[in-house]
Amino acid sequence: ISFCFLGHVRDPNNQLQMVKNLRICVNNLVSSPIPSSCSLSPSQYRLLGEVVLSSQPSEGAQATVVKTGDYSLNLSGTTPWFEAYRDNFLQLMPALDHEFLNHYLACLLVVSSTETVPLEQFLKLSQEQHRIQHSGEYTHPKWFIPNTLKYYILLHDMSEGDEQRAETVYEDMKQRYGPHGCYLLKINSRTISAEQDEQIPDPWSQYLLRSNQRNQVGTVEPLTAILSQQHCNIILILKESTSLRDTDTLTPGNYGACLTLNDHDHIRQFVQEFTFRGLLPHIEKNIRQLNDQLISRKGLSRSLFTATKKWFGGGKVPEKSSSEPKSTYGLLYPPEAPELQIRKMADLCFLVQHYELAYSCYHTAKKDFLSDQAMLYAAGALEMAAVSAFLQGGGPRPYPAHYMDTAIQTYRDVCRNMVLAERCALLSAEILKSQAKYSEAASLLIKMTSEDSDLRSALLLEQAAHCFINMRNPMVRKFAFHMILAGHRFSKAGQRRHALRCYCQAMQVYKERGWSLAEDHINFTIGRHSFTLGQPENAVMAFRQILVNDSRQSATQQAAFLREFLYVYKVIYKCCFTFTFNFYSLIDVVPVLN
């Protein structure tokens, strides 16, 4: 579940830094000894395919008219299937060792007020969290910093239990954990049977359905939201006996029926209290500590942080024993390595939108990583330095596109990791498009097409086509050509509706231009896809266009076109053809449809 807030932190110079739309993402604790991977799982790729398939242009959606030269094209004004794919892809990125943006910053420990000794249960949960983080037995979840913030929540169900006792326990908690380190959350003040006609809004729907809403046509997030949509990730640990009746006894989709409007306020107040009095001060404190360590040693060596290697007790580790994991490229930094500390500071600054300081830290880390030939780490620092430079907004520093180009090439060619290269390319393309650099964006997108993923290639080719048509002097034929390529890859990916749409949009350019062979190919493909998708009338129209004009096709190809046409015509009108066919020495016409 995600929450969004406006807050502030103070930077190391004690200047107030506003944090707009701070995103807090709360996840249940799922520990795993399975080694983390830099790639997505087959199920995640299937999810991306389903996301694209489910996002289709709505019937009667208004098209954008593009007039250039003697062309007048009706095109899709937006591509929500691409935005849905992009957003879900970015959210599915795994937590990796060379970056910390997806690591967990804090832990919420939740115990029910009905427990016999709640404080004892809090102690057990705290010890369990410490064991999971520091025992070395688990590779997931990944933790941002060693001193993870712990926030203690006493959950009181108003329909059961003693409220006075809960207040007493809460007072003991404040004595032990401090008034800003714990919270008494009261919920379920309304019985399910009471006031059935009263319409209470569902407090969870906007979060539970957020992913689905993004997949609807026309919902496109602003560029800054896309680039800065990193969350402050929080782990949630509940005592097993803690009951949340709202989700236990109600039908799927009917959440929060036991919550009154006052309960809604309590939930909002809890998250705000945790964010403003717990999380943000925790982040601010760690930024200050890291900055103090860096500044005290600045200038003693080749870069800001290299000088702290000895102070931190060691630097890079070129080799590990055979029983320990190795970096893909012969270099693995230990958690306390100074190079990783500067990266941590950069990521913390980025999360609270202090992009100027983040850029400075990423730039420094990049130089150290390149000096050590730690290419995976260097690519990550280059990527985030470029994003931070762009997000500064109106500053003197232009967007360093060459940083992104180098990062993409390193991820793809050196690290052999297409997932990270794709992430980098998606971010860079959005930045370039926002600056009307459509030619550069198109070139970048085309370079990212490959044989390992038809779906990714189809989406990127379609975006490249839109870049060509959005240029100051639209390149219409390049648009059409890349839409044909996108349609072909959509078809190979099993996305026939998107394939048909691409071919139909390209047909507007090729139609009646004297390119008969290309026109025949497009009509034939449109006919097949239309018939497969249950649009036989459109299929007949497309096949008919192939047959009514003078053909430059071979006899064999013309016969294939005719067979397709007759088969579709027969299916629609349930006709029975009985005749002798002696065209190009063909005796029989056998209806065939693959």
Side-chain angles (χ1 to χ4, degrees), residues 14-120:
N14 209 35
Q15 298 296 312
L16 201 64
Q17 175 70 31
M18 296 303 298
V19 185
K20 301 177 181 178
N21 297 322
L22 175 68
R23 300 189 178 198
I24 308 298
C25 184
V26 183
N27 295 289
N28 192 25
L29 174 66
V30 179
S31 57
S32 172
I34 301 174
S36 59
S37 171
C38 291
S39 61
L40 302 183
S41 67
S43 61
Q44 290 174 319
Y45 280 116
R46 286 195 297 272
L47 172 63
L48 292 175
E50 292 169 2
V51 163
V52 174
L53 185 63
S54 64
S55 182
Q56 300 285 342
S58 59
E59 294 293 333
Q62 187 174 1
T64 299
V65 179
V66 176
K67 294 184 178 181
T68 176
D70 56 349
Y71 292 97
S72 182
L73 310 177
N74 292 320
L75 308 177
S76 300
T78 60
T79 54
W81 43 91
F82 170 74
E83 280 82 30
Y85 172 91
R86 179 198 62 207
D87 292 357
N88 280 273
F89 174 86
L90 293 175
Q91 290 195 20
L92 289 173
M93 288 298 302
L96 304 173
D97 290 328
H98 74 284
E99 59 187 24
F100 303 94
L101 290 169
N102 286 335
H103 293 203
Y104 288 99
L105 274 166
C107 180
L108 302 178
L109 306 176
V110 185
V111 171
S112 171
S113 62
T114 59
E115 288 287 339
T116 305
V117 187
L119 293 180
E120 181 179 318

Side-chain angles (χ1 to χ4, degrees), residues 398-455:
Y399 169 61
H402 61 288
Y403 277 18
M404 280 294 204
D405 294 340
T406 303
I408 293 171
Q409 182 181 4
T410 303
Y411 281 141
R412 183 184 58 198
D413 301 333
V414 179
C415 305
R416 298 283 190 258
N417 191 304
M418 282 300 293
V419 171
L420 294 176
E422 180 180 355
R423 179 185 70 181
C424 208
L426 289 173
L427 297 178
S428 188
E430 294 298 333
I431 294 174
L432 292 171
K433 287 191 290 185
S434 74
Q435 298 177 335
K437 297 178 180 179
Y438 293 109
S439 178
E440 293 90 335
S443 298
L444 171 60
L445 293 166
I446 293 169
K447 288 179 182 177
M448 285 302 298
T449 60
S450 62
E451 294 302 318
D452 66 305
S453 173
D454 288 312
L455 180 60

Side-chain angles (χ1 to χ4, degrees), residues 1-5 22-26 232 234 274-275 279:
I1 300 175
S2 298
F3 299 88
C4 217
F5 293 101
L22 175 68
R23 300 189 178 198
I24 308 298
C25 184
V26 183
C232 293
I234 311 300
F274 162 71
T275 302
L279 181 62

